[in-house]
Amino acid sequence: DAKTTQPPSMDCAEGRAANLPCNHSTISGNEYVYWYRQIHSQGPQYIIHGLKNNETNEMASLIITEDRKSSTLILPHATLRDTAVYYCIVRDSGGSNYKLTFGKGTLLTVNP
Amino acid sequence: NAGVTQTPKFRILKIGQSMTLQCAQDMNHNYMYWYRQDPGMGLKLIYYSVGAGITDKGEVPNGYNVSRSTTEDFPLRLELAAPSQTSVYFCASSQVGDTIYFGEGSWLTVV
């Protein structure tokens, strides 16, 4: 599996956009970038994923660089409830590897 | 559609006891997983299964056993519980190459 690197913590003001970076310089061509978050030791919650193109859903946007070596998760208008640990993961889309390996993630703290 | 259901939510075990954490999913997913999460740490994969009758070890399988007799169920058994197994356990499931959905967790304390 490709490894990911994320900052251990970030702060964001409520109502502002939160931009969470992730480095995955060893990603291979068939690996997707997934983002999950975990609030208060609840089960991880899926946010978004992408392969090459930028993606947007009701929760967030995912910007992947053209060389696919890094990505940014954007929460457009962060709220206090977005305070959580955010995990960036790369995963093979359907080869022999079905595992999802979590690192330590980024603790995002949204401040009032 | 309940998703991934784990039981029990909380359990206290004495050293040397055994128990089974239950996990069931109603999404007809082929793939199921067990993770553990120690305080302040990320999730570590214990065991996973790609279909009924097939299981494989993850990163930290020692002290655990699993079985997958049906698509829906993936129980995790702890034999001879040890304090090092005090953790939060998450079960998850997915379809091929698809999003992985997690249960709400089972908090286990071994004393």
Side-chain angles (χ1 to χ4, degrees), chain A residues 1 28-32 34 49 51 90-99, chain B residues 31 33 50 94-99:
Chain A
D1 290 343
S28 63
N30 59 347
E31 287 185 312
Y32 282 75
Y34 278 79
H49 74 283
L51 183 64
V90 293
R91 181 188 181 208
D92 193 312
S93 63
S96 61
N97 172 33
Y98 306 110
K99 297 179 284 187
Chain B
Y31 308 118
Y33 315 80
V50 300
S94 77
Q95 200 48 287
V96 181
D98 204 350
T99 303

mmCIF file with all atom_site columns, all heavy atoms in Angstrom, chain A residues 1 28-32 34 49 51 90-99, chain B residues 31 33 50 94-99:
data_model
loop_
_atom_site.group_PDB
_atom_site.id
_atom_site.type_symbol
_atom_site.label_atom_id
_atom_site.label_alt_id
_atom_site.label_comp_id
_atom_site.label_asym_id
_atom_site.label_entity_id
_atom_site.label_seq_id
_atom_site.pdbx_PDB_ins_code
_atom_site.Cartn_x
_atom_site.Cartn_y
_atom_site.Cartn_z
_atom_site.occupancy
_atom_site.B_iso_or_equiv
_atom_site.pdbx_formal_charge
_atom_site.auth_seq_id
_atom_site.auth_comp_id
_atom_site.auth_asym_id
_atom_site.auth_atom_id
_atom_site.pdbx_PDB_model_num
ATOM 1   N N   . ASP A 1 1  ? 0.846   -1.191  0.000   1.00 0.00 ? 1  ASP A N   1
ATOM 2   C CA  . ASP A 1 1  ? 0.000   0.000   0.000   1.00 0.00 ? 1  ASP A CA  1
ATOM 3   C C   . ASP A 1 1  ? 0.879   1.237   0.000   1.00 0.00 ? 1  ASP A C   1
ATOM 4   O O   . ASP A 1 1  ? 1.923   1.274   0.637   1.00 0.00 ? 1  ASP A O   1
ATOM 5   C CB  . ASP A 1 1  ? -0.853  0.068   1.259   1.00 0.00 ? 1  ASP A CB  1
ATOM 6   C CG  . ASP A 1 1  ? -1.922  -0.993  1.270   1.00 0.00 ? 1  ASP A CG  1
ATOM 7   O OD1 . ASP A 1 1  ? -2.184  -1.535  0.189   1.00 0.00 ? 1  ASP A OD1 1
ATOM 8   O OD2 . ASP A 1 1  ? -2.465  -1.269  2.327   1.00 0.00 ? 1  ASP A OD2 1
ATOM 9   N N   . SER A 1 28 ? 0.113   4.424   -6.585  1.00 0.00 ? 28 SER A N   1
ATOM 10  C CA  . SER A 1 28 ? 0.184   3.784   -7.894  1.00 0.00 ? 28 SER A CA  1
ATOM 11  C C   . SER A 1 28 ? -1.060  4.123   -8.702  1.00 0.00 ? 28 SER A C   1
ATOM 12  O O   . SER A 1 28 ? -2.031  4.665   -8.180  1.00 0.00 ? 28 SER A O   1
ATOM 13  C CB  . SER A 1 28 ? 0.323   2.269   -7.736  1.00 0.00 ? 28 SER A CB  1
ATOM 14  O OG  . SER A 1 28 ? -0.811  1.732   -7.094  1.00 0.00 ? 28 SER A OG  1
ATOM 15  N N   . GLY A 1 29 ? -1.005  3.751   -9.985  1.00 0.00 ? 29 GLY A N   1
ATOM 16  C CA  . GLY A 1 29 ? -2.041  4.210   -10.908 1.00 0.00 ? 29 GLY A CA  1
ATOM 17  C C   . GLY A 1 29 ? -3.455  3.742   -10.594 1.00 0.00 ? 29 GLY A C   1
ATOM 18  O O   . GLY A 1 29 ? -4.419  4.404   -10.959 1.00 0.00 ? 29 GLY A O   1
ATOM 19  N N   . ASN A 1 30 ? -3.602  2.602   -9.929  1.00 0.00 ? 30 ASN A N   1
ATOM 20  C CA  . ASN A 1 30 ? -4.939  2.077   -9.665  1.00 0.00 ? 30 ASN A CA  1
ATOM 21  C C   . ASN A 1 30 ? -5.373  2.270   -8.223  1.00 0.00 ? 30 ASN A C   1
ATOM 22  O O   . ASN A 1 30 ? -6.328  1.635   -7.774  1.00 0.00 ? 30 ASN A O   1
ATOM 23  C CB  . ASN A 1 30 ? -5.010  0.598   -10.033 1.00 0.00 ? 30 ASN A CB  1
ATOM 24  C CG  . ASN A 1 30 ? -4.011  -0.223  -9.246  1.00 0.00 ? 30 ASN A CG  1
ATOM 25  O OD1 . ASN A 1 30 ? -3.114  0.328   -8.620  1.00 0.00 ? 30 ASN A OD1 1
ATOM 26  N ND2 . ASN A 1 30 ? -4.170  -1.524  -9.251  1.00 0.00 ? 30 ASN A ND2 1
ATOM 27  N N   . GLU A 1 31 ? -4.689  3.119   -7.506  1.00 0.00 ? 31 GLU A N   1
ATOM 28  C CA  . GLU A 1 31 ? -5.046  3.369   -6.106  1.00 0.00 ? 31 GLU A CA  1
ATOM 29  C C   . GLU A 1 31 ? -5.868  4.649   -5.980  1.00 0.00 ? 31 GLU A C   1
ATOM 30  O O   . GLU A 1 31 ? -5.496  5.700   -6.487  1.00 0.00 ? 31 GLU A O   1
ATOM 31  C CB  . GLU A 1 31 ? -3.797  3.457   -5.228  1.00 0.00 ? 31 GLU A CB  1
ATOM 32  C CG  . GLU A 1 31 ? -3.144  2.105   -4.986  1.00 0.00 ? 31 GLU A CG  1
ATOM 33  C CD  . GLU A 1 31 ? -1.974  2.189   -4.029  1.00 0.00 ? 31 GLU A CD  1
ATOM 34  O OE1 . GLU A 1 31 ? -1.119  3.081   -4.211  1.00 0.00 ? 31 GLU A OE1 1
ATOM 35  O OE2 . GLU A 1 31 ? -1.914  1.365   -3.096  1.00 0.00 ? 31 GLU A OE2 1
ATOM 36  N N   . TYR A 1 32 ? -6.979  4.506   -5.260  1.00 0.00 ? 32 TYR A N   1
ATOM 37  C CA  . TYR A 1 32 ? -7.825  5.637   -4.967  1.00 0.00 ? 32 TYR A CA  1
ATOM 38  C C   . TYR A 1 32 ? -7.342  6.332   -3.685  1.00 0.00 ? 32 TYR A C   1
ATOM 39  O O   . TYR A 1 32 ? -6.743  5.711   -2.811  1.00 0.00 ? 32 TYR A O   1
ATOM 40  C CB  . TYR A 1 32 ? -9.266  5.183   -4.741  1.00 0.00 ? 32 TYR A CB  1
ATOM 41  C CG  . TYR A 1 32 ? -10.030 4.882   -6.003  1.00 0.00 ? 32 TYR A CG  1
ATOM 42  C CD1 . TYR A 1 32 ? -9.791  3.719   -6.731  1.00 0.00 ? 32 TYR A CD1 1
ATOM 43  C CD2 . TYR A 1 32 ? -11.007 5.757   -6.458  1.00 0.00 ? 32 TYR A CD2 1
ATOM 44  C CE1 . TYR A 1 32 ? -10.503 3.451   -7.886  1.00 0.00 ? 32 TYR A CE1 1
ATOM 45  C CE2 . TYR A 1 32 ? -11.725 5.501   -7.609  1.00 0.00 ? 32 TYR A CE2 1
ATOM 46  C CZ  . TYR A 1 32 ? -11.463 4.344   -8.317  1.00 0.00 ? 32 TYR A CZ  1
ATOM 47  O OH  . TYR A 1 32 ? -12.171 4.078   -9.455  1.00 0.00 ? 32 TYR A OH  1
ATOM 48  N N   . TYR A 1 34 ? -8.860  7.927   -0.370  1.00 0.00 ? 34 TYR A N   1
ATOM 49  C CA  . TYR A 1 34 ? -10.059 7.954   0.460   1.00 0.00 ? 34 TYR A CA  1
ATOM 50  C C   . TYR A 1 34 ? -9.837  8.881   1.653   1.00 0.00 ? 34 TYR A C   1
ATOM 51  O O   . TYR A 1 34 ? -8.739  8.958   2.192   1.00 0.00 ? 34 TYR A O   1
ATOM 52  C CB  . TYR A 1 34 ? -10.370 6.558   1.019   1.00 0.00 ? 34 TYR A CB  1
ATOM 53  C CG  . TYR A 1 34 ? -11.107 5.639   0.088   1.00 0.00 ? 34 TYR A CG  1
ATOM 54  C CD1 . TYR A 1 34 ? -10.450 4.973   -0.934  1.00 0.00 ? 34 TYR A CD1 1
ATOM 55  C CD2 . TYR A 1 34 ? -12.471 5.423   0.248   1.00 0.00 ? 34 TYR A CD2 1
ATOM 56  C CE1 . TYR A 1 34 ? -11.133 4.124   -1.788  1.00 0.00 ? 34 TYR A CE1 1
ATOM 57  C CE2 . TYR A 1 34 ? -13.164 4.571   -0.588  1.00 0.00 ? 34 TYR A CE2 1
ATOM 58  C CZ  . TYR A 1 34 ? -12.490 3.918   -1.600  1.00 0.00 ? 34 TYR A CZ  1
ATOM 59  O OH  . TYR A 1 34 ? -13.171 3.078   -2.442  1.00 0.00 ? 34 TYR A OH  1
ATOM 60  N N   . HIS A 1 49 ? -13.976 10.053  -1.841  1.00 0.00 ? 49 HIS A N   1
ATOM 61  C CA  . HIS A 1 49 ? -12.812 9.420   -2.428  1.00 0.00 ? 49 HIS A CA  1
ATOM 62  C C   . HIS A 1 49 ? -12.688 9.833   -3.886  1.00 0.00 ? 49 HIS A C   1
ATOM 63  O O   . HIS A 1 49 ? -13.663 10.294  -4.502  1.00 0.00 ? 49 HIS A O   1
ATOM 64  C CB  . HIS A 1 49 ? -12.857 7.900   -2.289  1.00 0.00 ? 49 HIS A CB  1
ATOM 65  C CG  . HIS A 1 49 ? -13.829 7.201   -3.186  1.00 0.00 ? 49 HIS A CG  1
ATOM 66  N ND1 . HIS A 1 49 ? -15.187 7.191   -2.932  1.00 0.00 ? 49 HIS A ND1 1
ATOM 67  C CD2 . HIS A 1 49 ? -13.652 6.485   -4.319  1.00 0.00 ? 49 HIS A CD2 1
ATOM 68  C CE1 . HIS A 1 49 ? -15.797 6.484   -3.864  1.00 0.00 ? 49 HIS A CE1 1
ATOM 69  N NE2 . HIS A 1 49 ? -14.886 6.044   -4.724  1.00 0.00 ? 49 HIS A NE2 1
ATOM 70  N N   . LEU A 1 51 ? -9.947  9.277   -7.725  1.00 0.00 ? 51 LEU A N   1
ATOM 71  C CA  . LEU A 1 51 ? -8.819  8.639   -8.399  1.00 0.00 ? 51 LEU A CA  1
ATOM 72  C C   . LEU A 1 51 ? -7.910  9.685   -9.039  1.00 0.00 ? 51 LEU A C   1
ATOM 73  O O   . LEU A 1 51 ? -6.732  9.760   -8.740  1.00 0.00 ? 51 LEU A O   1
ATOM 74  C CB  . LEU A 1 51 ? -9.333  7.668   -9.454  1.00 0.00 ? 51 LEU A CB  1
ATOM 75  C CG  . LEU A 1 51 ? -8.269  6.855   -10.203 1.00 0.00 ? 51 LEU A CG  1
ATOM 76  C CD1 . LEU A 1 51 ? -7.533  5.938   -9.242  1.00 0.00 ? 51 LEU A CD1 1
ATOM 77  C CD2 . LEU A 1 51 ? -8.904  6.059   -11.342 1.00 0.00 ? 51 LEU A CD2 1
ATOM 78  N N   . VAL A 1 90 ? -4.876  5.581   0.986   1.00 0.00 ? 90 VAL A N   1
ATOM 79  C CA  . VAL A 1 90 ? -4.878  5.156   -0.407  1.00 0.00 ? 90 VAL A CA  1
ATOM 80  C C   . VAL A 1 90 ? -5.189  3.668   -0.442  1.00 0.00 ? 90 VAL A C   1
ATOM 81  O O   . VAL A 1 90 ? -4.753  2.907   0.409   1.00 0.00 ? 90 VAL A O   1
ATOM 82  C CB  . VAL A 1 90 ? -3.552  5.458   -1.119  1.00 0.00 ? 90 VAL A CB  1
ATOM 83  C CG1 . VAL A 1 90 ? -3.358  6.946   -1.243  1.00 0.00 ? 90 VAL A CG1 1
ATOM 84  C CG2 . VAL A 1 90 ? -2.384  4.823   -0.399  1.00 0.00 ? 90 VAL A CG2 1
ATOM 85  N N   . ARG A 1 91 ? -5.960  3.284   -1.424  1.00 0.00 ? 91 ARG A N   1
ATOM 86  C CA  . ARG A 1 91 ? -6.451  1.914   -1.460  1.00 0.00 ? 91 ARG A CA  1
ATOM 87  C C   . ARG A 1 91 ? -6.615  1.443   -2.894  1.00 0.00 ? 91 ARG A C   1
ATOM 88  O O   . ARG A 1 91 ? -7.152  2.152   -3.730  1.00 0.00 ? 91 ARG A O   1
ATOM 89  C CB  . ARG A 1 91 ? -7.791  1.850   -0.745  1.00 0.00 ? 91 ARG A CB  1
ATOM 90  C CG  . ARG A 1 91 ? -8.400  0.472   -0.690  1.00 0.00 ? 91 ARG A CG  1
ATOM 91  C CD  . ARG A 1 91 ? -9.798  0.539   -0.148  1.00 0.00 ? 91 ARG A CD  1
ATOM 92  N NE  . ARG A 1 91 ? -10.389 -0.782  -0.072  1.00 0.00 ? 91 ARG A NE  1
ATOM 93  C CZ  . ARG A 1 91 ? -11.686 -1.012  -0.164  1.00 0.00 ? 91 ARG A CZ  1
ATOM 94  N NH1 . ARG A 1 91 ? -12.517 -0.009  -0.350  1.00 0.00 ? 91 ARG A NH1 1
ATOM 95  N NH2 . ARG A 1 91 ? -12.158 -2.230  -0.069  1.00 0.00 ? 91 ARG A NH2 1
ATOM 96  N N   . ASP A 1 92 ? -6.178  0.210   -3.129  1.00 0.00 ? 92 ASP A N   1
ATOM 97  C CA  . ASP A 1 92 ? -6.351  -0.415  -4.430  1.00 0.00 ? 92 ASP A CA  1
ATOM 98  C C   . ASP A 1 92 ? -7.842  -0.592  -4.706  1.00 0.00 ? 92 ASP A C   1
ATOM 99  O O   . ASP A 1 92 ? -8.593  -1.029  -3.847  1.00 0.00 ? 92 ASP A O   1
ATOM 100 C CB  . ASP A 1 92 ? -5.656  -1.774  -4.405  1.00 0.00 ? 92 ASP A CB  1
ATOM 101 C CG  . ASP A 1 92 ? -5.514  -2.371  -5.790  1.00 0.00 ? 92 ASP A CG  1
ATOM 102 O OD1 . ASP A 1 92 ? -6.504  -2.379  -6.523  1.00 0.00 ? 92 ASP A OD1 1
ATOM 103 O OD2 . ASP A 1 92 ? -4.403  -2.806  -6.108  1.00 0.00 ? 92 ASP A OD2 1
ATOM 104 N N   . SER A 1 93 ? -8.255  -0.269  -5.916  1.00 0.00 ? 93 SER A N   1
ATOM 105 C CA  . SER A 1 93 ? -9.687  -0.274  -6.210  1.00 0.00 ? 93 SER A CA  1
ATOM 106 C C   . SER A 1 93 ? -10.267 -1.671  -6.352  1.00 0.00 ? 93 SER A C   1
ATOM 107 O O   . SER A 1 93 ? -11.456 -1.862  -6.232  1.00 0.00 ? 93 SER A O   1
ATOM 108 C CB  . SER A 1 93 ? -9.953  0.506   -7.495  1.00 0.00 ? 93 SER A CB  1
ATOM 109 O OG  . SER A 1 93 ? -9.308  -0.131  -8.588  1.00 0.00 ? 93 SER A OG  1
ATOM 110 N N   . GLY A 1 94 ? -9.470  -2.645  -6.617  1.00 0.00 ? 94 GLY A N   1
ATOM 111 C CA  . GLY A 1 94 ? -10.095 -3.958  -6.774  1.00 0.00 ? 94 GLY A CA  1
ATOM 112 C C   . GLY A 1 94 ? -9.109  -5.060  -7.064  1.00 0.00 ? 94 GLY A C   1
ATOM 113 O O   . GLY A 1 94 ? -9.489  -6.122  -7.559  1.00 0.00 ? 94 GLY A O   1
ATOM 114 N N   . GLY A 1 95 ? -7.874  -4.833  -6.727  1.00 0.00 ? 95 GLY A N   1
ATOM 115 C CA  . GLY A 1 95 ? -6.892  -5.882  -6.917  1.00 0.00 ? 95 GLY A CA  1
ATOM 116 C C   . GLY A 1 95 ? -6.938  -6.873  -5.775  1.00 0.00 ? 95 GLY A C   1
ATOM 117 O O   . GLY A 1 95 ? -7.985  -7.089  -5.172  1.00 0.00 ? 95 GLY A O   1
ATOM 118 N N   . SER A 1 96 ? -5.846  -7.458  -5.413  1.00 0.00 ? 96 SER A N   1
ATOM 119 C CA  . SER A 1 96 ? -5.832  -8.471  -4.371  1.00 0.00 ? 96 SER A CA  1
ATOM 120 C C   . SER A 1 96 ? -5.824  -7.867  -2.981  1.00 0.00 ? 96 SER A C   1
ATOM 121 O O   . SER A 1 96 ? -5.990  -8.569  -2.001  1.00 0.00 ? 96 SER A O   1
ATOM 122 C CB  . SER A 1 96 ? -4.611  -9.370  -4.537  1.00 0.00 ? 96 SER A CB  1
ATOM 123 O OG  . SER A 1 96 ? -3.434  -8.589  -4.428  1.00 0.00 ? 96 SER A OG  1
ATOM 124 N N   . ASN A 1 97 ? -5.632  -6.566  -2.893  1.00 0.00 ? 97 ASN A N   1
ATOM 125 C CA  . ASN A 1 97 ? -5.548  -5.946  -1.582  1.00 0.00 ? 97 ASN A CA  1
ATOM 126 C C   . ASN A 1 97 ? -6.865  -5.265  -1.230  1.00 0.00 ? 97 ASN A C   1
ATOM 127 O O   . ASN A 1 97 ? -7.255  -4.298  -1.857  1.00 0.00 ? 97 ASN A O   1
ATOM 128 C CB  . ASN A 1 97 ? -4.422  -4.913  -1.562  1.00 0.00 ? 97 ASN A CB  1
ATOM 129 C CG  . ASN A 1 97 ? -4.418  -4.113  -0.280  1.00 0.00 ? 97 ASN A CG  1
ATOM 130 O OD1 . ASN A 1 97 ? -4.772  -4.619  0.776   1.00 0.00 ? 97 ASN A OD1 1
ATOM 131 N ND2 . ASN A 1 97 ? -4.058  -2.855  -0.377  1.00 0.00 ? 97 ASN A ND2 1
ATOM 132 N N   . TYR A 1 98 ? -7.554  -5.791  -0.248  1.00 0.00 ? 98 TYR A N   1
ATOM 133 C CA  . TYR A 1 98 ? -8.831  -5.199  0.152   1.00 0.00 ? 98 TYR A CA  1
ATOM 134 C C   . TYR A 1 98 ? -8.726  -4.507  1.493   1.00 0.00 ? 98 TYR A C   1
ATOM 135 O O   . TYR A 1 98 ? -9.709  -4.060  2.040   1.00 0.00 ? 98 TYR A O   1
ATOM 136 C CB  . TYR A 1 98 ? -9.896  -6.298  0.230   1.00 0.00 ? 98 TYR A CB  1
ATOM 137 C CG  . TYR A 1 98 ? -10.002 -7.093  -1.050  1.00 0.00 ? 98 TYR A CG  1
ATOM 138 C CD1 . TYR A 1 98 ? -9.586  -8.399  -1.106  1.00 0.00 ? 98 TYR A CD1 1
ATOM 139 C CD2 . TYR A 1 98 ? -10.496 -6.500  -2.186  1.00 0.00 ? 98 TYR A CD2 1
ATOM 140 C CE1 . TYR A 1 98 ? -9.673  -9.124  -2.284  1.00 0.00 ? 98 TYR A CE1 1
ATOM 141 C CE2 . TYR A 1 98 ? -10.593 -7.210  -3.374  1.00 0.00 ? 98 TYR A CE2 1
ATOM 142 C CZ  . TYR A 1 98 ? -10.180 -8.529  -3.418  1.00 0.00 ? 98 TYR A CZ  1
ATOM 143 O OH  . TYR A 1 98 ? -10.266 -9.231  -4.569  1.00 0.00 ? 98 TYR A OH  1
ATOM 144 N N   . LYS A 1 99 ? -7.510  -4.445  2.008   1.00 0.00 ? 99 LYS A N   1
ATOM 145 C CA  . LYS A 1 99 ? -7.354  -3.887  3.334   1.00 0.00 ? 99 LYS A CA  1
ATOM 146 C C   . LYS A 1 99 ? -7.339  -2.372  3.292   1.00 0.00 ? 99 LYS A C   1
ATOM 147 O O   . LYS A 1 99 ? -6.988  -1.754  2.308   1.00 0.00 ? 99 LYS A O   1
ATOM 148 C CB  . LYS A 1 99 ? -6.062  -4.397  3.952   1.00 0.00 ? 99 LYS A CB  1
ATOM 149 C CG  . LYS A 1 99 ? -6.030  -5.912  4.149   1.00 0.00 ? 99 LYS A CG  1
ATOM 150 C CD  . LYS A 1 99 ? -4.735  -6.372  4.744   1.00 0.00 ? 99 LYS A CD  1
ATOM 151 C CE  . LYS A 1 99 ? -3.646  -6.361  3.694   1.00 0.00 ? 99 LYS A CE  1
ATOM 152 N NZ  . LYS A 1 99 ? -2.391  -6.984  4.223   1.00 0.00 ? 99 LYS A NZ  1
ATOM 153 N N   . TYR B 2 31 ? -16.864 -8.299  1.823   1.00 0.00 ? 31 TYR B N   1
ATOM 154 C CA  . TYR B 2 31 ? -15.670 -8.079  2.627   1.00 0.00 ? 31 TYR B CA  1
ATOM 155 C C   . TYR B 2 31 ? -16.037 -7.556  4.001   1.00 0.00 ? 31 TYR B C   1
ATOM 156 O O   . TYR B 2 31 ? -16.842 -6.655  4.154   1.00 0.00 ? 31 TYR B O   1
ATOM 157 C CB  . TYR B 2 31 ? -14.737 -7.098  1.928   1.00 0.00 ? 31 TYR B CB  1
ATOM 158 C CG  . TYR B 2 31 ? -14.467 -7.519  0.515   1.00 0.00 ? 31 TYR B CG  1
ATOM 159 C CD1 . TYR B 2 31 ? -14.838 -6.719  -0.551  1.00 0.00 ? 31 TYR B CD1 1
ATOM 160 C CD2 . TYR B 2 31 ? -13.888 -8.747  0.252   1.00 0.00 ? 31 TYR B CD2 1
ATOM 161 C CE1 . TYR B 2 31 ? -14.633 -7.135  -1.853  1.00 0.00 ? 31 TYR B CE1 1
ATOM 162 C CE2 . TYR B 2 31 ? -13.672 -9.170  -1.044  1.00 0.00 ? 31 TYR B CE2 1
ATOM 163 C CZ  . TYR B 2 31 ? -14.056 -8.367  -2.095  1.00 0.00 ? 31 TYR B CZ  1
ATOM 164 O OH  . TYR B 2 31 ? -13.848 -8.788  -3.363  1.00 0.00 ? 31 TYR B OH  1
ATOM 165 N N   . TYR B 2 33 ? -14.192 -6.785  8.102   1.00 0.00 ? 33 TYR B N   1
ATOM 166 C CA  . TYR B 2 33 ? -12.918 -6.469  8.746   1.00 0.00 ? 33 TYR B CA  1
ATOM 167 C C   . TYR B 2 33 ? -13.132 -6.291  10.255  1.00 0.00 ? 33 TYR B C   1
ATOM 168 O O   . TYR B 2 33 ? -14.194 -5.856  10.690  1.00 0.00 ? 33 TYR B O   1
ATOM 169 C CB  . TYR B 2 33 ? -12.357 -5.145  8.202   1.00 0.00 ? 33 TYR B CB  1
ATOM 170 C CG  . TYR B 2 33 ? -12.411 -4.973  6.709   1.00 0.00 ? 33 TYR B CG  1
ATOM 171 C CD1 . TYR B 2 33 ? -13.588 -4.588  6.086   1.00 0.00 ? 33 TYR B CD1 1
ATOM 172 C CD2 . TYR B 2 33 ? -11.269 -5.156  5.928   1.00 0.00 ? 33 TYR B CD2 1
ATOM 173 C CE1 . TYR B 2 33 ? -13.649 -4.411  4.712   1.00 0.00 ? 33 TYR B CE1 1
ATOM 174 C CE2 . TYR B 2 33 ? -11.316 -4.970  4.552   1.00 0.00 ? 33 TYR B CE2 1
ATOM 175 C CZ  . TYR B 2 33 ? -12.508 -4.600  3.948   1.00 0.00 ? 33 TYR B CZ  1
ATOM 176 O OH  . TYR B 2 33 ? -12.564 -4.423  2.586   1.00 0.00 ? 33 TYR B OH  1
ATOM 177 N N   . VAL B 2 50 ? -12.731 -11.964 2.798   1.00 0.00 ? 50 VAL B N   1
ATOM 178 C CA  . VAL B 2 50 ? -13.175 -11.546 1.466   1.00 0.00 ? 50 VAL B CA  1
ATOM 179 C C   . VAL B 2 50 ? -14.408 -12.319 1.017   1.00 0.00 ? 50 VAL B C   1
ATOM 180 O O   . VAL B 2 50 ? -14.888 -12.121 -0.108  1.00 0.00 ? 50 VAL B O   1
ATOM 181 C CB  . VAL B 2 50 ? -12.056 -11.665 0.422   1.00 0.00 ? 50 VAL B CB  1
ATOM 182 C CG1 . VAL B 2 50 ? -10.876 -10.790 0.828   1.00 0.00 ? 50 VAL B CG1 1
ATOM 183 C CG2 . VAL B 2 50 ? -11.621 -13.106 0.245   1.00 0.00 ? 50 VAL B CG2 1
ATOM 184 N N   . SER B 2 94 ? -17.513 -4.004  3.364   1.00 0.00 ? 94 SER B N   1
ATOM 185 C CA  . SER B 2 94 ? -17.518 -3.289  2.095   1.00 0.00 ? 94 SER B CA  1
ATOM 186 C C   . SER B 2 94 ? -17.792 -4.262  0.961   1.00 0.00 ? 94 SER B C   1
ATOM 187 O O   . SER B 2 94 ? -17.723 -5.480  1.127   1.00 0.00 ? 94 SER B O   1
ATOM 188 C CB  . SER B 2 94 ? -16.184 -2.575  1.856   1.00 0.00 ? 94 SER B CB  1
ATOM 189 O OG  . SER B 2 94 ? -15.195 -3.499  1.449   1.00 0.00 ? 94 SER B OG  1
ATOM 190 N N   . GLN B 2 95 ? -18.077 -3.679  -0.196  1.00 0.00 ? 95 GLN B N   1
ATOM 191 C CA  . GLN B 2 95 ? -18.145 -4.470  -1.418  1.00 0.00 ? 95 GLN B CA  1
ATOM 192 C C   . GLN B 2 95 ? -16.842 -4.256  -2.167  1.00 0.00 ? 95 GLN B C   1
ATOM 193 O O   . GLN B 2 95 ? -16.038 -3.408  -1.780  1.00 0.00 ? 95 GLN B O   1
ATOM 194 C CB  . GLN B 2 95 ? -19.359 -4.040  -2.248  1.00 0.00 ? 95 GLN B CB  1
ATOM 195 C CG  . GLN B 2 95 ? -19.811 -5.066  -3.270  1.00 0.00 ? 95 GLN B CG  1
ATOM 196 C CD  . GLN B 2 95 ? -19.931 -6.456  -2.696  1.00 0.00 ? 95 GLN B CD  1
ATOM 197 O OE1 . GLN B 2 95 ? -18.941 -7.137  -2.411  1.00 0.00 ? 95 GLN B OE1 1
ATOM 198 N NE2 . GLN B 2 95 ? -21.161 -6.897  -2.520  1.00 0.00 ? 95 GLN B NE2 1
ATOM 199 N N   . VAL B 2 96 ? -16.623 -4.964  -3.240  1.00 0.00 ? 96 VAL B N   1
ATOM 200 C CA  . VAL B 2 96 ? -15.357 -4.880  -3.952  1.00 0.00 ? 96 VAL B CA  1
ATOM 201 C C   . VAL B 2 96 ? -15.045 -3.440  -4.325  1.00 0.00 ? 96 VAL B C   1
ATOM 202 O O   . VAL B 2 96 ? -15.849 -2.784  -4.981  1.00 0.00 ? 96 VAL B O   1
ATOM 203 C CB  . VAL B 2 96 ? -15.388 -5.725  -5.242  1.00 0.00 ? 96 VAL B CB  1
ATOM 204 C CG1 . VAL B 2 96 ? -14.037 -5.627  -5.950  1.00 0.00 ? 96 VAL B CG1 1
ATOM 205 C CG2 . VAL B 2 96 ? -15.703 -7.165  -4.911  1.00 0.00 ? 96 VAL B CG2 1
ATOM 206 N N   . GLY B 2 97 ? -13.871 -2.945  -3.917  1.00 0.00 ? 97 GLY B N   1
ATOM 207 C CA  . GLY B 2 97 ? -13.417 -1.624  -4.303  1.00 0.00 ? 97 GLY B CA  1
ATOM 208 C C   . GLY B 2 97 ? -14.307 -0.492  -3.860  1.00 0.00 ? 97 GLY B C   1
ATOM 209 O O   . GLY B 2 97 ? -14.171 0.634   -4.348  1.00 0.00 ? 97 GLY B O   1
ATOM 210 N N   . ASP B 2 98 ? -15.218 -0.753  -2.965  1.00 0.00 ? 98 ASP B N   1
ATOM 211 C CA  . ASP B 2 98 ? -16.209 0.256   -2.586  1.00 0.00 ? 98 ASP B CA  1
ATOM 212 C C   . ASP B 2 98 ? -15.917 0.811   -1.198  1.00 0.00 ? 98 ASP B C   1
ATOM 213 O O   . ASP B 2 98 ? -15.002 0.378   -0.523  1.00 0.00 ? 98 ASP B O   1
ATOM 214 C CB  . ASP B 2 98 ? -17.604 -0.365  -2.633  1.00 0.00 ? 98 ASP B CB  1
ATOM 215 C CG  . ASP B 2 98 ? -18.690 0.680   -2.821  1.00 0.00 ? 98 ASP B CG  1
ATOM 216 O OD1 . ASP B 2 98 ? -18.372 1.888   -2.728  1.00 0.00 ? 98 ASP B OD1 1
ATOM 217 O OD2 . ASP B 2 98 ? -19.852 0.301   -3.054  1.00 0.00 ? 98 ASP B OD2 1
ATOM 218 N N   . THR B 2 99 ? -16.701 1.782   -0.804  1.00 0.00 ? 99 THR B N   1
ATOM 219 C CA  . THR B 2 99 ? -16.565 2.403   0.513   1.00 0.00 ? 99 THR B CA  1
ATOM 220 C C   . THR B 2 99 ? -16.676 1.357   1.614   1.00 0.00 ? 99 THR B C   1
ATOM 221 O O   . THR B 2 99 ? -17.492 0.448   1.537   1.00 0.00 ? 99 THR B O   1
ATOM 222 C CB  . THR B 2 99 ? -17.670 3.450   0.694   1.00 0.00 ? 99 THR B CB  1
ATOM 223 O OG1 . THR B 2 99 ? -17.562 4.389   -0.370  1.00 0.00 ? 99 THR B OG1 1
ATOM 224 C CG2 . THR B 2 99 ? -17.544 4.152   2.025   1.00 0.00 ? 99 THR B CG2 1
#
